[in-house]
Amino acid sequence: MRFLIAFVAILGYASASAIISPLVYGANAGDVQAAAIDATVAAQDTVRAIGEGQARAAEAVIQHNTEAVRQVAETNRNLHENAYWGSVAASQNLVAAAQSQAAAVDGAAAAVRAAYAGAGYPYAAPLAYGHALPYAAAPLGYAAYGAYGLHGLRAW
């Protein structure tokens, strides 16, 4: 009988405690509600964390795309700027070459005028004073430069 009294005492103590009471009496409504709230909060926190991660990823993609667009625009600007200044340099070189050629032709024409003036030809006298030869008396194709000779090239 002692065993029976001891068993009943232990069973009473265990049923009053948290060990057997959920099994005997079922779950406490407050504990179930607290567990449901905890699970809901945990799920909401997980969803929020996933959403924030996706937002950070989308922002990183936007920043990367913006940087890529900026780099492409800068490259295009550099290409256009180099092309512009290259064409300016080429046109300046072309003008300098034309001026050099005009100076060379003008110098050759001055040498021809000096040679005719010193040779004593009757039609060379106007050349010595800066006048152009008429077309009929122009030797060596000098008339091809117009009625006023090569004086117009000096304006370059």
Side-chain angles (χ1 to χ4, degrees), residues 43-135:
Q44 288 173 346
D45 289 344
T46 303
V47 169
R48 185 179 300 115
I50 291 171
E52 289 173 357
Q54 288 177 344
R56 283 192 301 273
E59 184 177 348
V61 167
I62 290 170
Q63 287 177 349
H64 177 73
N65 288 345
T66 302
E67 180 65 20
V69 167
R70 189 195 61 75
Q71 288 177 357
V72 167
E74 183 178 350
T75 302
N76 283 337
R77 182 184 57 83
N78 289 341
L79 287 173
H80 283 65
E81 185 177 353
N82 290 341
Y84 171 77
W85 288 114
S87 66
V88 167
S91 66
Q92 289 174 347
N93 290 341
L94 182 64
V95 168
Q99 288 172 342
S100 297
Q101 291 298 320
V105 170
D106 205 20
V112 168
R113 282 194 302 268
Y116 282 138
Y121 295 118
Y123 53 83
L127 285 176
Y129 298 106
H131 299 291
L133 287 173
Y135 284 108

Side-chain angles (χ1 to χ4, degrees), residues 4-21:
L4 189 59
I5 294 173
F7 180 72
V8 170
I10 291 175
L11 186 61
Y13 175 76
S15 66
S17 68
I19 298 173
I20 300 182
S21 65

